[in-house]
């Protein structure tokens, strides 16, 4: 019997291909929940870092989940002062990077903000920002102090910039230079953001770009201008600066 006929070879190849693709599908669906859980923890960790409430660098997934649940979350209509509590707000990922789906939420029309409170007063607000870097979309969180104008912290959540060059936006020393910078002088109820990242820009409203990674570092500043400006969180922040932060609680 000829065991090397063309039809037999094709049949064998087809069976092997089908078996392998079935194996891959099973593995993908088996690991998917774990992948989603890691992604959610990763996001919560970045938010807590900006919030200043990350329970230690070596915090377990459970510690992170507890600290994250302690934050108040509000959903903001971008470009307006409207910020409301909503069920499922802790899981709401307007970027949809963690894979949770929320059919009711139109991407980039609404976004979550995270409040650190002592139960009576808002002490910090954490805002998601994103934008185009040199090669990839950059995702970060920026925290403002209780005047809603002073930068308290920044954490970089995700990016796909060049290792050793663009990824220097994650350097703790550079991110530390953001602390205590102001978004704007607040005159005449201005909503635009004066804060910027540029070469030799270190002043009250500015941070120096990273030499050799100017494109990526300037992009981080630009996304803060976009997201915290009039079409983003600007109207809400202006309202909060007038002293209405407790209304959020
Ligand atoms: C292969 C390659 C990858 C690069 N990746 C980045 C990057 O991820 N982010 C960045 O800002 N610049 C990157 N650069 C450098 C930019 O092309 C540019 O030179 C730099 O941002 C300008 O900074 P400087 O004006 O301080 O020299 C890369 C350059 C090369 C050749």
């Amino acid at each position: 019997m000829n065991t090397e006929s063309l039809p037999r070879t094709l049949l064998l190849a087809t069976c092997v291909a089908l078996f392998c693709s079935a194996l891959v599908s099973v593995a993908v669906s088996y690991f998917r929940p774990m992948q989603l859980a890691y992604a959610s923890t990763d996001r919560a960790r970045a938010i807590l870092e900006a919030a200043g409430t990350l329970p230690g660098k070596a915090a377990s997934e459970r510690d992170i989940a507890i600290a994250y649940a302690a934050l108040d979350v509000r959903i903001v209509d971008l470009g307006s002062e409207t910020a409301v509590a909503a069920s499922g707000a802790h899981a709401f990922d307007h970027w949809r990077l963690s894979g949770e789906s929320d059919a009711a939420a139109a991407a980039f029309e609404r976004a979550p903000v995270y409040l650190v409170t002592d139960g009576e007063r808002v002490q910090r607000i954490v805002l998601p920002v994103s934008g185009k870097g040199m090669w990839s979309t950059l995702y970060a969180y920026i925290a403002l102090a209780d005047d809603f104008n002073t930068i308290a912290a920044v954490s970089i959540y995700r990016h796909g910039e060049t290792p050793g060059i663009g990824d220097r936006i994650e350097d703790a020393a550079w991110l530390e230079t953001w602390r205590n910078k102001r978004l704007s002088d607040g005159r005449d109820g201005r909503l635009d953001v004066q804060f910027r990242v540029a070469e030799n820009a270190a002043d009250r409203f500015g941070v120096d770009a990273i030499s050799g990674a100017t494109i990526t570092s300037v992009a981080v500043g630009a996304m803060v201008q976009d997201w915290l400006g009039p079409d983003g969180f600007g109207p809400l922040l202006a309202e909060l600066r007038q002293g209405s932060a407790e209304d959020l609680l």
Side-chain angles (χ1 to χ4, degrees), residues 68-242:
Y68 182 58
L71 296 175
D72 279 347
V73 187
R74 299 290 177 267
I75 305 295
V76 177
D77 283 337
L78 296 171
S80 85
E81 313 84 12
T82 311
V84 294
S87 67
H90 277 83
F92 177 53
D93 173 10
H94 65 301
W95 292 321
R96 311 269 171 83
L97 293 175
S98 303
E100 301 105 343
S101 68
D102 183 346
F108 296 104
E109 285 178 13
R110 301 192 298 152
V113 299
Y114 307 88
L115 309 173
V116 181
T117 78
D118 61 5
E120 287 171 11
R121 290 187 54 253
V122 178
Q123 296 165 319
R124 244 185 216 200
I125 186 167
V126 180
L127 311 155
V129 295
S130 59
K132 210 177 152 345
M134 183 165 172
W135 309 107
S136 65
T137 305
L138 315 175
Y139 301 91
Y141 291 95
I142 180 163
L144 302 179
D146 61 2
D147 63 354
F148 307 101
N149 192 37
T150 303
I151 297 172
V154 185
S155 70
I156 305 294
Y157 167 43
R158 273 194 199 195
H159 67 82
E161 301 295 280
T162 312
I165 307 179
D167 72 352
R168 288 168 58 208
I169 56 171
E170 291 178 64
D171 286 355
W174 185 65
L175 294 174
E176 185 58 32
T177 65
W178 286 58
R179 195 186 293 274
N180 293 328
K181 301 293 170 156
R182 305 292 153 94
L183 292 182
S184 84
D185 59 18
R187 251 182 247 148
D188 306 323
R190 65 186 297 165
L191 294 184
D192 63 313
V193 174
Q194 283 169 277
F195 174 83
R196 75 245 179 266
V197 175
E199 282 179 65
N200 303 317
D203 62 17
R204 275 180 82 207
F205 303 110
V207 158
D208 281 341
I210 300 171
S211 170
T214 303
I215 298 171
T216 306
S217 49
V218 166
V220 183
M223 64 202 207
V224 169
Q225 288 179 341
D226 284 349
W227 276 83
L228 274 56
D231 299 328
F233 299 115
L236 173 69
L237 295 174
E239 186 84 0
L240 297 178
R241 284 178 205 131
Q242 313 270 326

